[in-house]
Amino acid sequence: MASIEENGSNPKRQKLTDLPERGNADGAGDEDERGLFFKDFTTTSVLREDTKAKLMTLKGKFNGKDGDAVVLLEKLPFDKETVANLMSSSTMHQTLNNDIYSTYEAFPPTNFPDYKTTMIYPATEKHVIKYSEQDMYVVRETKDLYENVTKQCLEKNQFSIQWVYNILEKKCESERIVFEDPDPVNGFILLPDLKWNRKDLDSLYLVAITHNHIKSLRDLNKESLPLLKNILKSGTEAIEKEFNIPVSKLRIYVHYQPSYYHLHVHFSNLKFDAPGTDVLRAHLLDSIIENIEMDSQYYENKTLHYTVKENDVLHQAYKDHGYFK
Amino acid sequence: MASIEENGSNPKRQKLTDLPERGNADGAGDEDERGLFFKDFTTTSVLREDTKAKLMTLKGKFNGKDGDAVVLLEKLPFDKETVANLMSSSTMHQTLNNDIYSTYEAFPPTNFPDYKTTMIYPATEKHVIKYSEQDMYVVRETKDLYENVTKQCLEKNQFSIQWVYNILEKKCESERIVFEDPDPVNGFILLPDLKWNRKDLDSLYLVAITHNHIKSLRDLNKESLPLLKNILKSGTEAIEKEFNIPVSKLRIYVHYQPSYYHLHVHFSNLKFDAPGTDVLRAHLLDSIIENIEMDSQYYENKTLHYTVKENDVLHQAYKDHGYFK
C-alpha cells in the first residue's frame, strides 16, 4: 500500500471554506463501513514515534472485535492557502514573553482538519513489523566479510529485479524516460524516481539505471570509469536542459547497500531532504570516480559501512556469522 | 534565542485534563503584553515551509504597528500521554476505504493545544534571513580551490573559538566532561553536544574535541593517525561504559566544512536523525583512518564536496572567485 503512504506525505488539502461544519464534536468519530470506531479503540503498544515529523504509529484493538489494528497518526503540514484563516481563528495561550520574543500554544477551531490517520484492520504481523521502530546496527563490511557473508547472503536471497529489466527493455515506464544513452556498456536510462511527482522542482529526484549489468558499488573499478563519467556528465546536462536545475544544486550519489542490486545513480535536489542521503548509505558519484582513478581496486578493498535493520536478511546473515555479539 | 528553538522541538506538554476550557473560541487570540493580536496580522511573505517537519515561518505586519514581525508556526508532536484522549474525542472524516486500509481527516477538540507559535517583534533583517529558506549550492573543492579560495576566506574571517579553549582549559563546562585523555598531541575531551539533554539515549550525541590544534579534515595525514584511532577506541569505550550504547549503534563522523575550525568528532545515535549526517557534510571517522592509511596525503589532495548557503562567507568568496556563474 505504498500509495497510501505517498499520498499521506503531501495530502491535497481542502480549503477551509469548503469544509463542512464540524465544530460540534461530541467526543465521537465517524464509524467506517466496517463498524470501526476510535471511541472503542484501545492502544496496546506505541510502535513508533517521530517527534520531528510529528508521526506516531500504534497497535491496538477495537472493543468486541478480533485481531489487531495498526493506526498511523500524522499531523498535517501547514498550508499556504489556509494558514491566515487558521491563525486568525485560533485561540492562543501565551507561554513566554521576553523582549521581542514570545511563544504561544495555539488552539485551532474544530472546523479544520488537523491530522490524518490511516487505519489497517485487520493487521497482520508483517504490518506490525513494517510500521514498528526497528533496531539498527552498523556493519563494518571488510573485503573478507563481503566475500564470506554479504555476497553469499545476497546470492541465496536473490531478489527479483524484473521491474528493472522491464524499464531497460522499454516494457514499462518508457513514457517516463527523461534521457537515454542506449550504449549497452556505458549507457543508461534516466527517469524520475517514484517518490517524485515530476512537478515540484524543490523535491526533484531522478535515477539513472545502467544498461550494463553491474550489481553494486563493490563491483566498480577502472573499467567502470567511462560509464560513471557518462552518467555524471550526460545525466546532469539532461536535468539542466529538462528541469533547469544546475549541477550545483544536485546531490548525486550511489547507495550502499542499495535497495536493488543493479547499478543506479540517484540525483536529488539539495533542498530535498531525500531518504538515504546519510553518510552511512550514500556515496558521492564524484568521490567514487576520484577514488577509482587513484586506485582501481579501491571499492574491492575498502571497508564499507552501512546500517542494517533488525529484520533485514543481511542482519540475520551477520548475526549467524557471529558478527554481533 | 537558541533556547526558544530548542524548547520548541520537544515541548513539555500539559495533560489534557490540566487544560482550561478553550472550546468557545470566537475567532480571536489572546493579546500579548505588547498588544499583538493574530487577528490583526497580515502575512507579507512565507519565509520557509517544511512539510515534513510541519513547520512554516512567515514575515508580516500588525495593523497599526510599525516594523516587521517574524512568526514561526510548528505543529506539536503527538504525545503518548494524551493521544488516546485526542483520538477518542476527535471527529473523523473518512477519505478512503479499501479492503483493510482506510484513511481519515481528523478534527481534534479545541481544548487541546495543537500547534506552537513563536513571534519575534519587532524583527530585524537578520531575523528575517535567519528564518528564511536560503538557496544552497554544492562546492567541489579541489586542492587548488582550497588553497586559493577557502583557506584565504577562513583566514580573513577568523571566527572566535574562545569557547573551545574555555572547554579545553576547563574554564567552562568541566562538569559536563564524560571522558578525557589529557595528552596534548593525541588526547581529547568528550562531552555531550549542546543539542543533547544527556537523558534520552535515543538522541545520544557527544563530541570529542582534540587537545591538538588541528583546523579541519584537510589537515589530517598519517601523523594524525594515533589521535584519530585514540578517539575512535577510547571515545566508543567511554560511551559504552557511561551510556551502555555499543559502537554498532553509533554514527561517528567529522564535518567538512565544520561549524568551527578546531578538530572535533561527532558521535550520534543511529536512531537520531542528527543534523549534518548528509553525505555532503559528514565523513566517517573509520573511512578517514582507512583513506589516510592508504595514502597519507589523501585529504590534502582530495576534492571535497560540501554545500554552502547563500549568506555564508564561503559562498561569497566562491562567488567573488567566479566559481558560480
Side-chain angles (χ1 to χ4, degrees):
Chain A
M1 287 303 286
S3 65
I4 279 185
E5 285 184 280
E6 278 157 25
N7 289 338
S9 66
N10 196 3
K12 275 198 183 166
R13 300 286 302 271
Q14 286 181 270
K15 291 197 186 170
L16 252 185
T17 48
D18 300 339
L19 285 170
E21 260 305 325
R22 295 184 169 268
N24 298 319
D26 59 352
D30 286 2
E31 210 162 334
D32 88 350
E33 290 172 14
R34 295 159 300 173
L36 306 177
F37 212 50
F38 262 163
K39 226 176 169 177
D40 302 323
F41 182 81
T42 308
T43 302
T44 50
S45 61
V46 174
L47 300 178
R48 198 163 81 85
E49 276 185 282
D50 185 337
T51 56
K52 196 174 162 193
K54 284 85 182 186
L55 283 170
M56 186 179 270
T57 62
L58 307 167
K59 189 171 117 178
K61 292 192 181 295
F62 290 99
N63 284 350
K65 306 239 175 214
D66 289 333
D68 289 321
V70 167
V71 171
L72 286 70
L73 302 173
E74 178 184 353
K75 295 272 175 140
L76 294 173
F78 291 100
D79 179 75
K80 267 189 207 162
E81 306 290 317
T82 56
V83 70
N85 204 332
L86 173 69
M87 284 165 74
S88 66
S89 59
S90 291
T91 309
M92 318 270 285
H93 174 226
Q94 194 172 75
T95 44
L96 183 152
N97 191 2
N98 179 353
D99 189 41
I100 62 169
Y101 302 94
S102 47
T103 64
Y104 308 79
E105 288 179 325
F107 301 74
T110 46
N111 61 344
F112 199 83
D114 177 64
Y115 63 95
K116 178 186 163 152
T117 166
T118 301
M119 213 189 298
I120 303 166
Y121 176 81
T124 65
E125 186 56 21
K126 269 199 169 178
H127 287 110
V128 173
I129 289 173
K130 177 173 174 186
Y131 293 107
S132 295
E133 180 89 58
Q134 281 185 46
D135 263 348
M136 289 193 294
Y137 304 87
V138 178
V139 172
R140 287 180 91 252
E141 185 190 89
T142 58
K143 181 186 179 174
D144 282 354
L145 283 170
Y146 174 70
E147 290 295 338
N148 297 320
V149 186
T150 307
K151 209 172 164 183
Q152 289 180 27
C153 168
L154 299 179
E155 276 162 11
K156 212 169 66 190
N157 293 278
Q158 294 279 346
F159 303 100
S160 170
I161 49 169
Q162 187 54 48
W163 66 272
V164 175
Y165 299 132
N166 290 344
I167 290 173
L168 294 173
E169 292 161 15
K170 312 272 178 71
K171 288 181 185 159
C172 287
E173 303 190 44
S174 59
E175 73 291 352
R176 301 176 76 240
I177 293 174
V178 170
F179 174 82
E180 178 176 14
D181 175 341
D183 187 275
V185 180
N186 298 323
F188 64 97
I189 282 180
L190 180 73
L191 76 177
D193 185 276
L194 287 177
K195 277 182 280 300
W196 185 41
N197 62 11
R198 211 181 156 145
K199 278 174 195 155
D200 173 28
L201 291 180
D202 284 357
S203 58
L204 175 137
Y205 193 163
L206 295 103
V207 178
I209 302 177
T210 59
H211 281 301
N212 203 329
H213 293 203
I214 294 171
K215 275 208 182 63
S216 78
L217 181 63
R218 272 286 181 207
D219 294 327
L220 298 178
N221 54 41
K222 70 168 185 272
E223 279 162 34
S224 332
L225 284 175
L227 167 64
L228 299 175
K229 288 180 177 179
N230 186 32
I231 293 174
L232 185 58
K233 185 167 182 294
S234 311
T236 55
E237 281 172 2
I239 289 171
E240 170 127 40
K241 192 175 157 211
E242 188 76 15
F243 304 106
N244 201 26
I245 302 280
V247 62
S248 63
K249 303 232 170 176
L250 293 174
R251 194 192 281 110
I252 308 162
Y253 52 102
V254 164
H255 280 158
Y256 193 80
Q257 296 289 332
S259 54
Y260 52 97
Y261 292 86
H262 181 105
L263 189 67
H264 56 286
V265 176
H266 304 261
F267 295 77
S268 66
N269 192 323
L270 274 191
K271 276 193 183 179
F272 179 45
D273 186 13
T277 65
D278 190 282
V279 64
L280 281 167
R281 184 153 191 217
H283 296 258
L284 292 175
L285 180 57
D286 259 299
S287 281
I288 294 170
I289 292 171
E290 195 177 2
N291 285 329
I292 294 173
E293 281 179 333
M294 188 179 62
D295 175 1
S296 175
Q297 293 175 291
Y298 185 91
Y299 289 101
E300 186 188 321
N301 295 327
K302 179 88 169 67
T303 299
L304 292 169
H305 296 68
Y306 52 84
T307 55
V308 287
K309 286 186 180 163
E310 212 161 5
N311 289 292
D312 291 345
V313 289
L314 259 180
H315 174 252
Q316 194 56 50
Y318 272 84
K319 209 174 158 189
D320 293 347
H321 187 75
Y323 182 83
F324 300 109
K325 289 148 222 158
Chain B
M1 288 303 287
S3 64
I4 278 184
E5 285 184 281
E6 278 157 24
N7 288 338
S9 65
N10 197 1
K12 276 198 180 167
R13 300 288 300 272
Q14 288 182 268
K15 290 198 185 170
L16 253 186
T17 47
D18 300 338
L19 284 170
E21 258 307 324
R22 295 184 168 268
N24 299 317
D26 58 352
D30 288 2
E31 211 163 332
D32 89 349
E33 290 173 16
R34 294 159 302 173
L36 306 176
F37 211 48
F38 262 163
K39 223 176 173 175
D40 302 323
F41 181 81
T42 307
T43 302
T44 51
S45 61
V46 174
L47 300 177
R48 198 163 82 84
E49 277 185 282
D50 185 336
T51 55
K52 196 174 164 195
K54 284 83 181 187
L55 282 171
M56 185 178 272
T57 62
L58 308 167
K59 190 172 117 179
K61 291 192 182 297
F62 290 99
N63 284 350
K65 305 238 178 217
D66 290 331
D68 289 321
V70 167
V71 171
L72 286 71
L73 302 173
E74 178 186 352
K75 296 271 177 141
L76 295 174
F78 291 100
D79 179 75
K80 267 187 206 163
E81 305 290 317
T82 56
V83 71
N85 204 332
L86 174 70
M87 286 165 71
S88 65
S89 58
S90 293
T91 309
M92 317 270 285
H93 174 225
Q94 194 172 76
T95 45
L96 185 152
N97 191 1
N98 180 352
D99 189 43
I100 62 167
Y101 300 94
S102 46
T103 64
Y104 308 79
E105 288 179 324
F107 301 73
T110 47
N111 62 343
F112 200 82
D114 176 64
Y115 63 95
K116 178 187 163 150
T117 166
T118 301
M119 212 190 297
I120 302 167
Y121 176 81
T124 65
E125 187 56 23
K126 269 199 169 177
H127 287 108
V128 173
I129 290 172
K130 177 173 175 186
Y131 292 108
S132 294
E133 180 89 58
Q134 282 184 46
D135 263 350
M136 288 192 297
Y137 303 88
V138 177
V139 171
R140 285 181 93 251
E141 185 190 88
T142 60
K143 181 185 179 174
D144 282 354
L145 283 170
Y146 174 68
E147 290 294 339
N148 297 319
V149 185
T150 307
K151 208 171 165 186
Q152 289 179 27
C153 168
L154 298 178
E155 276 162 10
K156 213 168 67 191
N157 293 278
Q158 295 279 346
F159 304 99
S160 170
I161 48 168
Q162 186 55 47
W163 67 272
V164 175
Y165 298 134
N166 289 345
I167 291 173
L168 294 173
E169 291 162 16
K170 312 271 178 72
K171 288 179 184 161
C172 287
E173 304 189 44
S174 59
E175 74 290 352
R176 302 176 74 240
I177 293 174
V178 170
F179 174 82
E180 177 175 15
D181 175 342
D183 187 276
V185 179
N186 298 324
F188 64 97
I189 282 180
L190 181 74
L191 76 179
D193 185 276
L194 287 177
K195 280 183 277 301
W196 185 41
N197 63 10
R198 212 181 155 145
K199 279 175 195 153
D200 174 27
L201 291 179
D202 284 357
S203 57
L204 174 137
Y205 193 163
L206 294 103
V207 178
I209 303 176
T210 59
H211 281 301
N212 204 329
H213 293 202
I214 293 171
K215 274 207 182 63
S216 79
L217 181 63
R218 272 285 180 207
D219 295 327
L220 298 178
N221 55 41
K222 71 167 184 272
E223 279 163 35
S224 332
L225 284 175
L227 167 63
L228 298 174
K229 289 181 176 178
N230 186 30
I231 293 174
L232 185 58
K233 185 167 183 292
S234 309
T236 53
E237 282 172 2
I239 290 171
E240 170 128 41
K241 192 175 156 208
E242 188 76 14
F243 305 105
N244 201 25
I245 303 281
V247 62
S248 64
K249 303 235 170 174
L250 293 174
R251 195 192 280 110
I252 308 163
Y253 52 104
V254 164
H255 280 157
Y256 192 79
Q257 299 287 334
S259 53
Y260 53 96
Y261 292 86
H262 182 107
L263 189 69
H264 56 286
V265 176
H266 304 260
F267 295 77
S268 65
N269 193 323
L270 274 190
K271 276 194 182 179
F272 178 44
D273 186 11
T277 65
D278 191 281
V279 65
L280 281 167
R281 184 150 193 220
H283 297 258
L284 291 175
L285 180 57
D286 259 301
S287 282
I288 294 170
I289 291 170
E290 194 177 3
N291 286 328
I292 294 173
E293 281 178 334
M294 189 180 62
D295 175 0
S296 174
Q297 292 175 292
Y298 186 91
Y299 289 100
E300 186 188 323
N301 295 327
K302 181 89 170 63
T303 299
L304 293 170
H305 295 68
Y306 52 85
T307 55
V308 286
K309 286 186 179 164
E310 213 160 4
N311 289 292
D312 290 346
V313 289
L314 259 180
H315 174 253
Q316 194 56 50
Y318 271 85
K319 209 174 159 188
D320 293 346
H321 188 75
Y323 182 83
F324 300 110
K325 292 147 222 160

